[in-house]
Amino acid sequence: MELICPAGTPASFREAVDAGADAVYCGFRDETNARNFPGLNFDLPELREAIAYARARKVKTFVALNTFMTAGKEDLWYQRAGEATEAGADALIVADFGLMAHVAEHHPGQRLHVSVQASASNLDALAFLVESFGAARVVLPRTLTIQDIAKIARRVACELEVFVFGGLCVMSEGRCSLSSYATGKSPNMNGVCSPASHVRYHQSGNDMVSDLGGFTINRFEAGEATGYPTLCKGRFEIGDSKTYAFEDPVSLDVMDQLDELRDAGVKALKVEGRQRGKAYISEVVSTLRATLKAAPADRARLMARLKALSEGQQTTQGAYMKRWR
């Protein structure tokens, strides 16, 4: 199985390549990609240089154009698709059906991967994407069990890619509007979920309070790990309890299920983290590469090195184990 690793900057890109990635995914410095944060991403010369660096080391480059086009501004997405293709991208990761149609028509030789943002999670959806746009690979949403994945893999004519480590989006990707209500910026169109400009932390007695867009998302007691304020990982009053309604502020880690994922028909393992620094990328990618090579009995020991880098210093298997409350 391929190891697909994130890069939010040229420096992180080189770290991912050198640490053992089979492919690195990145995006342009605008709203065409879903990690549109200040200080991140690539301009065209940087992308060309990164692709050349990777290719010289037999590593692939995937360019994420994984937001939904804004009506009247489609030319920006079309332009970026052409530029990435001309620069030599090994695949484009696309969410918008209109952009998929454009790529299939105007760049028929370009390999197309369907982004997790497209929310393709059943046989009919995957068959439509393959037949209509020639999709070579689909990144599945993080809402399926391994048994679900295995049922799909047996009956589709494309490769399947799944997330195995990093931030856990528990909403159905491509459909989440929660952050938009709090900040006015859409994760799916502006490429920004819980933008840092709208995040605030402040002390309240002995507690640390996290806010997003003026809304209190969480309150942490002294000594409790403080998570980043996203609504889907916020603490809510439900009945008589104050609890996490959707998911705890923790990271995804299903590397102990590598054999099950392989047997299910998964082609590629994806790591989330384009907003992370190069030190994080180096440590995570090198550890995952070592884990992929290791015997099953040694995987837990290797992955323990990443606990401190996980959100809240905790991990979960998320929907892979279907432990919904």
Side-chain angles (χ1 to χ4, degrees):
M1 295 181 287
E2 292 181 353
L3 182 60
I4 316 299
C5 301
T9 65
S12 294
F13 189 102
R14 293 189 292 271
E15 290 288 345
V17 170
D18 296 344
D22 291 307
V24 183
Y25 68 101
C26 59
F28 285 105
R29 197 172 291 134
D30 54 39
E31 63 266 38
T32 61
N33 94 80
R35 284 292 183 268
N36 184 26
F37 292 99
L40 292 183
N41 303 310
F42 293 67
D43 60 24
L44 184 54
E46 289 170 337
L47 179 63
R48 289 194 181 110
E49 185 176 343
I51 291 173
Y53 185 88
R55 184 158 293 165
R57 291 156 181 80
K58 296 182 171 55
V59 175
K60 298 174 184 176
T61 303
F62 302 158
V63 177
L65 303 171
N66 57 338
T67 51
F68 294 91
M69 297 190 294
T70 302
K73 294 179 61 179
E74 298 91 347
D75 284 349
L76 174 61
W77 279 260
Y78 297 160
Q79 174 189 338
R80 293 308 195 193
E83 290 172 343
T85 299
E86 181 273 331
D90 293 284
L92 303 184
I93 307 173
V94 179
D96 189 292
F97 287 2
L99 185 56
M100 292 182 203
H102 174 86
V103 171
E105 179 180 354
H106 296 275
H107 309 288
Q110 176 63 63
R111 183 177 172 90
L112 179 66
H113 291 184
V114 176
S115 169
V116 68
Q117 290 290 100
S119 291
S121 56
N122 58 57
L123 286 168
D124 288 339
L126 270 69
F128 170 78
L129 294 165
V130 173
E131 294 168 7
S132 300
F133 312 118
R137 178 180 296 180
V138 174
V139 185
L140 294 175
R142 286 161 278 196
T143 50
L144 301 176
T145 64
I146 294 177
Q147 292 74 25
D148 294 332
I149 295 169
K151 291 177 183 178
I152 291 172
R154 289 194 294 266
R155 298 174 58 187
V156 295
C158 64
E159 299 169 356
L160 299 181
E161 181 174 313
V162 300
F163 281 91
V164 294
F165 190 84
L168 173 63
C169 181
V170 297
M171 298 296 96
S172 186
E173 284 100 338
R175 300 174 187 173
C176 180
S177 298
L178 288 178
S179 181
S180 306
Y181 290 121
T183 69
K185 290 186 176 294
S186 166
N188 307 317
M189 298 186 72
N190 303 116
V192 186
C193 174
S194 302
S197 58
H198 290 67
V199 170
R200 297 289 184 272
Y201 293 95
H202 62 90
Q203 202 75 27
S204 175
N206 293 324
D207 296 344
M208 177 65 73
V209 177
S210 63
D211 296 336
L212 178 66
F215 296 95
T216 295
I217 303 300
N218 216 330
R219 178 183 290 269
F220 302 92
E221 297 179 356
E224 187 179 3
T226 306
Y228 191 79
T230 59
L231 274 160
C232 60
K233 294 181 182 179
R235 199 145 27 186
F236 298 85
E237 292 185 2
I238 303 173
D240 296 327
S241 64
K242 295 180 181 179
T243 187
Y244 294 103
F246 303 109
E247 182 59 82
D248 298 36
V250 297
S251 292
L252 178 69
D253 176 8
V254 291
M255 289 296 286
D256 62 342
Q257 298 185 61
L258 291 178
D259 297 329
E260 291 89 341
L261 290 168
R262 182 183 292 108
D263 293 344
V266 170
K267 171 67 175 176
L269 308 173
K270 191 166 194 172
V271 181
E272 186 275 340
R274 283 194 284 151
Q275 72 278 27
R276 302 279 195 161
K278 67 176 186 178
Y280 174 94
I281 297 298
S282 178
E283 181 67 15
V284 168
V285 176
S286 60
T287 298
L288 297 185
R289 173 52 64 198
T291 303
L292 281 170
K293 293 179 179 178
D298 296 326
R299 291 172 187 163
R301 174 181 57 81
L302 289 166
M303 291 301 296
R305 290 158 39 181
L306 301 183
K307 188 73 73 175
L309 298 178
S310 300
E311 186 175 357
Q313 299 186 8
Q314 299 179 69
T315 58
T316 178
Q317 293 182 342
Y320 287 91
M321 295 300 290
K322 222 58 165 189
R323 290 173 180 165
W324 299 107
R325 282 185 284 273

